Amino acid sequence: MQRTLSIVKPDGVKKNIIGEIIKRYEANGLRVAALKMIHQTGDEARGFYIVHKERPFYDSLTDFMSEGPVVLMVLEGDDAIDKVRKIMGATNPEDADKGTIRSDFADNIERNIVHGSDSPESASYEIAYYFSHIEIH
């Protein structure tokens, strides 16, 4: 059993596809262990994405992630990290497999609807960034 963090980004919330995204995860054997909506500040977004601080897209990413509410969820199941990443599709929606979240809904590489942890280490950090242990069931 593995846990991972998924975020429905501001563009996904604005498009009103939160339920569709959760449905896809659940249909693939993942269980929602925690769920909440927040509107984070720029500082909170910068803290979350600190690993990308030296990347050229850092400022635009953190501005985007703080422009509106996001839905945060802890998902759990067998191989949850890989499963979520397959369901999301490639970061660039033009490269994403047909039927993935990003292929179906994303506008571009920066506004790509969802985030998912990419490793057990990042999942551990990311889950703890947004959720306390009493919020995860």
Side-chain angles (χ1 to χ4, degrees):
M1 190 66 63
Q2 187 177 59
R3 286 184 174 162
T4 188
L5 182 82
S6 178
I7 303 175
V8 180
K9 295 180 178 182
D11 54 338
V13 173
K14 190 173 184 178
K15 289 181 179 187
N16 201 30
I17 56 172
I18 299 163
E20 175 63 26
I21 292 167
I22 293 171
K23 179 181 170 184
R24 290 182 185 208
Y25 291 146
E26 290 180 330
N28 282 278
L30 296 164
R31 187 182 81 79
V32 176
L35 178 72
K36 64 182 167 183
M37 180 183 280
I38 65 167
H39 188 159
Q40 61 191 338
T41 66
D43 284 343
E44 289 164 339
R46 284 187 287 279
F48 180 75
Y49 285 106
I50 195 70
V51 67
H52 297 304
K53 187 175 184 181
E54 302 305 319
R55 297 273 185 81
F57 58 82
Y58 178 72
D59 289 333
S60 62
L61 173 62
T62 56
D63 288 347
F64 165 55
M65 291 299 290
S66 60
E67 77 180 24
V70 298
V71 173
L72 307 162
M73 64 188 100
V74 177
L75 300 169
E76 79 179 9
D78 293 332
D79 299 316
I81 294 169
D82 287 340
K83 210 175 266 188
V84 166
R85 296 192 68 75
K86 286 178 186 157
I87 296 164
M88 290 188 318
T91 304
N92 186 343
E94 293 178 12
D95 300 330
D97 290 340
K98 202 170 182 96
T100 61
I101 293 168
R102 289 174 172 154
S103 170
D104 291 348
F105 300 111
D107 294 327
N108 58 56
I109 195 167
E110 283 198 349
R111 293 181 177 269
N112 62 9
I113 304 293
V114 285
H115 165 90
S117 305
D118 64 4
S119 69
E121 297 77 23
S122 66
S124 180
Y125 167 80
E126 292 176 356
I127 290 168
Y129 192 85
Y130 288 117
F131 290 94
S132 72
H133 71 282
I134 63 169
E135 295 176 297
I136 302 171
H137 306 281

